Amino acid sequence: MSGVAYLAARYLARHKLVSGVLVAALALVVFLPAGLRVLVRHSAEALRARAIATPLVVGAPGSPVDLVLASLYFESGAPQPVPFSEVQHIDETGLAEAVPLHVRFRTGGKAIVGTTLAYFRQRELRVASGRLPAVLGECVVGASAARDLGVRPGDTLVSSPETVFDLAGVYPLRMRVTGILAPAGGPDDAAVFVDVKTAWIIQGLVHGHSDLAGPGSDAGVLAREEGRITANASVVEYNEITPENLDSFHFHGDPGAYPLTAVLAFPPEARSRALLMGRYEGSEARQILRPGGVIDELLATVFAVEKSVVAAIGLVAVATLAVGALVFVLSARLRRREFATLVKIGAPRGTVAALLGAEIALVTGAALLVAGGLVFVAARFAPLLLRSALAS
Amino acid sequence: MADRAIHFDNVRFGYGDGDFMLRIAKLELGRGERAAVIGPSGSGKTTLLHLAAGIAVPEEGAVRTCGVEISGLDDAARRRFRIRRVGLVFQEFELLDHLSALDNVLLPYRLTRALRLDDAARARAESLLQRTGLGGKGSRRADRLSQGERQRVAVCRALVVEPEVLLADEPTGNLDTDNKGRILDLLLGCADEAGAALLVVTHDRDLLPRFERSFDVRELSG
């Protein structure tokens, strides 16, 4: 380190508080626009990539953004449900592979996604350990969710009740973890996947309970008429699916009417996609969306807001730099005697300017380092931050 | 003239407002010679030192220091000359409070590449601190030293470059009797070792017997 740089460093070290405030202020001035830009760009890339990987989303009419975010990121408010029959309807067209999505419940803060095995194939999700769910009550856990929840194959997870005091509401279901997915670098890492029927069990649409038709079951039966049995509250309803009670689980009503959050449609090529979209044109009961288009519209708004924010930050930056310059000017005035001593000792011309320059350079360098670190962190967590922001 | 450490010839120096005028018809200080300058406050003692060091430039006449006519040099050359060949002890010490005692002593080395901050320079700085009783306080910040300690650090800073001319402005001004003696011993000893001329401004007439000669600045006007 040169002598002047050393003297500058000692001065800044002696005045830690002022130096720290200057570094923090400058770092913020640099970080805010740069971090915002990185945040938005990274988030946009991640959002676009996920959206492009999902050709079409079919759902009930409502907010396209809500539907796309719920389908792609398992976040946001629950859109209006679409019946399971929509999956069969799309499959029958032969224009796309339809994948049901049921996103409503959570376990340990992680979304429980009810779907079919086709989802894992279309998303190219690989099992790192264990296997995919094969029967009701089994689940496979995304990589980061497994880490956060501390589960391995063979462990169990319990779904969270939606409302604690609603006795007629959704009961928790104990699910067996059969596998952990390999990291995929997306929202699938943070989710818990079950068969869509398991999701309906959590919702109470499919259920299992003690046998009411067999011998010795009269204790809980209130009435039997025309094949319909009315029972009292002493009937045991299962909250865990085991090989012993698996057969007791049954549907009530038409499964085709069971709710889904959305249906993902994966057409084999562009023509099929266009044809499928044409089938839904003018439909008031359904909407079909290209997630890429919805995300682009959303990002256009985000970019417009970003421009305004950057302009505002620019003004703040000018003010901050002016205050920073004022601090150095005032500091130089207070240090006139010190600088005069350097001259009397015989410091070469320009030493004082070099000393102040070195101090400014050190403060600026430190601020850039801090800002760089913050930008790095922002880039790392950008997709997560923007998704959370959008979801809220 | 070349063997003179300091030579003033018909020097005239005034401050801008004309209230103060210093005239020195002739002043000579031989190499290795030790002299004291006395005089009342405001008589020009400090100005005389500044002229000898090239900090101030006379309006008339010539000042030669170490055989170099510094009054004819430009500002950059005078600075170069001063930092390498002249040791200065200022009246109010003028230490940099944010530096340690050792860093203050080594300050000239940090200000110019003409002086090389090597192990020998560091050893010399530490040795000077040791000799002035500050051996264990090299790392202490200047603003945490007592007045007497600060004064000793200022003396060490003047001596560290092994100057040919040592100019000291009231170097014992704030010291007790014991420390006065130590500082004066140090100045005289180091000047002797280096063969440097020593010119000390002082109010303390008790110190005058320690110098080969002394003069009142008012008597130099001729």
Side-chain angles (χ1 to χ4, degrees), chain A residues 278-304:
Chain A
R279 297 276 175 105
Y280 282 92
E281 200 169 311
S283 170
E284 291 183 359
R286 306 280 177 268
Q287 64 173 329
I288 188 163
L289 301 168
R290 279 195 318 110
V294 174
I295 293 294
D296 280 346
E297 279 180 31
L298 184 67
L299 290 175
T301 309
V302 171
F303 289 144

Side-chain angles (χ1 to χ4, degrees), chain B residues 4-72:
Chain B
R4 296 277 182 264
I6 296 173
H7 180 95
F8 281 54
D9 187 16
N10 284 320
V11 167
R12 191 172 76 105
F13 178 86
Y15 288 115
D17 53 14
D19 289 346
F20 174 80
M21 181 64 69
L22 176 67
R23 292 174 192 277
I24 300 175
K26 197 164 188 72
L27 169 64
E28 288 185 343
L29 194 68
R31 291 186 187 270
E33 193 176 1
R34 301 172 301 189
V37 183
I38 55 171
S41 295
S43 59
K45 304 187 294 297
T46 298
T47 304
L48 185 149
L49 289 191
H50 284 185
L51 288 165
I55 295 169
V57 181
E59 292 165 8
E60 288 177 13
V63 176
R64 297 178 72 86
T65 303
C66 306
V68 176
E69 188 177 331
I70 56 170
S71 53

Side-chain angles (χ1 to χ4, degrees), chain A residues 6 337 341 343-344 347-348, chain B residues 79 82 92 94 103 111 143:
Chain A
Y6 177 84
R337 189 180 166 82
T341 300
V343 171
K344 283 196 276 185
Chain B
R79 288 174 190 234
R82 187 158 70 240
E92 292 175 31
E94 303 195 17
D103 280 337
L111 294 175
D143 60 359

Side-chain angles (χ1 to χ4, degrees), chain A residues 5 25 178-179 187 245 296 390:
Chain A
T178 58
N245 67 20
D296 280 346
L390 291 172

Side-chain angles (χ1 to χ4, degrees), chain A residues 208-281:
Chain A
H209 48 73
S210 54
D211 185 13
L212 297 174
S217 58
D218 289 345
V221 175
L222 297 174
R224 294 176 197 269
E225 47 184 333
E226 294 173 2
R228 187 173 166 187
I229 302 171
T230 308
N232 64 20
S234 68
V235 174
V236 176
E237 198 160 332
Y238 303 122
N239 65 355
E240 182 176 5
I241 300 164
T242 63
E244 290 75 32
N245 67 20
L246 177 63
D247 290 340
S248 78
F249 279 82
H250 52 276
F251 291 86
H252 283 269
D254 173 17
Y258 282 14
L260 295 175
T261 305
V263 181
L264 305 184
F266 294 89
E269 24 70 31
R271 184 171 169 276
S272 300
R273 184 173 70 185
L275 287 172
L276 187 61
M277 290 185 77
R279 297 276 175 105
Y280 282 92
E281 200 169 311

